[in-house]
Amino acid sequence: MEESRPEDAALGFPPCQRMGRGSQAREACPLEGEGAAVGGLLLLALTGHPKRRRGGEHGSDNDDPAGEGAAKRQREAPPDPRASPSGRLALDYVVPCMNFYGICVKDSFLGEVLGARILAEVEGLHRSGKFRDGQLVSQRAVAPRSIRGDQIAWVEGWEPGCRAIGDLMANVDRLMLQCAGKLGTYDIRGRTKAMVACYPGNGRGYLRHVDNPHGDGRCVTCIYYLNRHWDSKVHGGILQIYPEGRSVVANIEPIFDRLLIFWSDRRNPHEVKPAYATRYAITIWYFDAKERAEARGRHQQAQKKGAEPSPEGAQENGPT
């Protein structure tokens, strides 16, 4: 429904939080008690490493097991994906939660300093009048404001006054890279720009919808929240998710420095409840390469025939 057509972009943790504070999950989390990407060439970071060098005119590794040969073996060993914090978060937390629940929540994702910089930039965008009312692609006979009450701006991350937002995008990209090849059967190779959104606190929300109901290529939705001292009993604004086929309702509060990740397709219908205070969020969608290529093909064929472009060629719906 949403008129959102951005260009493609090239591209120690807590136990499961039961799909966010206030959720009503009834199934045991597979991580309970355990303490816990994007662009073709970047995928080599996970799988590519130099071939082992064999003995030659300079001798073999066995000639010096504790010296130069051992150093070579250490240099040539495949990188451990869990060696970095983002790798541990991806493999020990995000991947299991996504493949089990289809939803993952990570609080304190970037920390106070960077989170505060991002919030300041988003507030600056708001003050400067960069936000526009969210629009609808389908159901054009319906008044957009009766469906969704947010205002949005699309950001690439390099614009003046948006560098901290760019840092957020880089951090989420890094996390998705570490998840590459492990999130279902998806081949994630690109993403949208960042959609910065504001609900102005006038009691409007976003009715129940699915981000990608028609196979436009989006497979993973990532939402970063920026709202300090948020109290859903007073301010409302919960993102409510109804995972398909599960007796679960996930009530996600949009609290400061929280990252929410979930499947973008029909498995996760969701809605934003009416918000009674200014509510900020940044959403990034990641593409499955095959589905995105097929959607582009359908879109191009529709344009050649002079028909109304199909929904598959655009990014329709979007939570905030």
Side-chain angles (χ1 to χ4, degrees):
M1 294 185 293
E2 172 185 336
E3 184 73 40
S4 41
R5 302 187 181 186
E7 298 176 0
D8 298 2
L11 295 188
F13 304 104
C16 264
Q17 299 171 35
R18 302 292 181 132
M19 297 156 63
R21 184 193 305 171
S23 65
Q24 302 166 18
R26 298 174 185 173
E27 300 177 65
C29 173
L31 302 181
E32 198 71 63
E34 293 187 12
V38 191
L41 293 178
L42 293 181
L43 295 178
L44 293 175
L46 291 181
T47 59
H49 58 277
K51 293 182 179 179
R52 289 202 55 182
R53 183 177 175 184
R54 299 186 182 278
E57 61 178 328
H58 298 293
S60 68
D61 290 352
N62 292 332
D63 295 333
D64 184 15
E68 183 180 349
K72 290 178 185 176
R73 287 193 296 274
Q74 185 175 11
R75 288 196 301 269
E76 295 170 0
D80 181 1
R82 290 182 172 83
S84 66
S86 62
R88 293 196 301 276
L89 175 60
L91 299 181
D92 294 342
Y93 186 68
V94 175
V95 169
C97 273
M98 285 295 289
N99 288 332
F100 185 78
Y101 288 126
I103 303 171
C104 182
V105 178
K106 175 65 177 80
D107 289 338
S108 304
F109 177 58
L110 297 178
E112 170 64 31
V113 175
L114 181 51
R117 287 174 50 212
I118 296 167
L119 175 57
E121 290 186 352
V122 170
E123 290 174 332
L125 289 173
H126 195 188
R127 288 193 302 270
S128 65
K130 297 292 178 60
F131 288 96
R132 296 291 181 267
D133 288 348
Q135 301 297 314
L136 303 179
V137 171
S138 56
Q139 300 184 15
R140 296 181 184 181
V142 179
R145 305 307 287 170
S146 68
I147 302 294
R148 55 179 300 187
D150 58 338
Q151 300 171 328
I152 64 172
W154 292 100
V155 172
E156 295 193 49
W158 50 261
E159 303 92 335
C162 296
R163 299 303 174 89
I165 297 174
D167 289 341
L168 163 67
M169 298 168 73
N171 275 278
V172 180
D173 283 353
R174 190 174 301 115
L175 182 63
M176 289 295 103
L177 172 61
Q178 297 286 0
C179 293
K182 299 176 178 64
L183 292 176
T185 59
Y186 293 123
D187 179 15
I188 297 176
R189 292 181 179 270
R191 59 161 167 77
T192 66
K193 299 176 185 179
M195 189 185 80
V196 184
C198 170
Y199 287 85
N202 56 4
R204 287 179 174 165
Y206 196 152
L207 297 185
R208 182 166 171 165
H209 64 281
V210 172
D211 285 3
N212 177 19
H214 301 298
D216 64 25
R218 289 178 294 171
C219 60
V220 175
T221 300
C222 298
I223 308 176
Y224 182 70
Y225 291 113
L226 288 157
N227 308 292
R228 296 185 186 277
H229 314 301
W230 193 268
D231 182 350
S232 60
K233 293 181 180 179
V234 177
H235 305 133
I238 283 176
L239 180 69
Q240 198 161 65
I241 307 178
Y242 309 89
E244 185 180 57
R246 292 180 180 265
S247 57
V248 169
V249 175
N251 295 312
I252 311 297
E253 291 188 89
I255 64 175
F256 180 79
D257 202 23
R258 165 172 282 180
L259 180 69
L260 169 66
I261 307 172
F262 58 90
W263 302 132
S264 304
D265 60 19
R266 294 180 183 274
R267 285 174 287 183
N268 284 314
H270 51 275
E271 64 181 307
V272 179
K273 293 297 187 179
Y276 300 98
T278 302
R279 179 187 185 278
Y280 293 120
I282 301 175
T283 304
I284 306 169
W285 289 274
Y286 287 84
F287 292 119
D288 173 65
K290 181 179 178 182
E291 183 180 307
R292 186 59 176 167
E294 292 173 348
R296 283 181 171 276
R298 291 192 297 269
H299 186 64
Q300 291 168 359
Q301 287 297 319
Q303 288 182 319
K304 288 179 181 179
K305 295 177 180 179
E308 181 74 15
S310 62
E312 291 89 337
Q315 281 72 62
E316 282 201 343
N317 306 329
T320 49

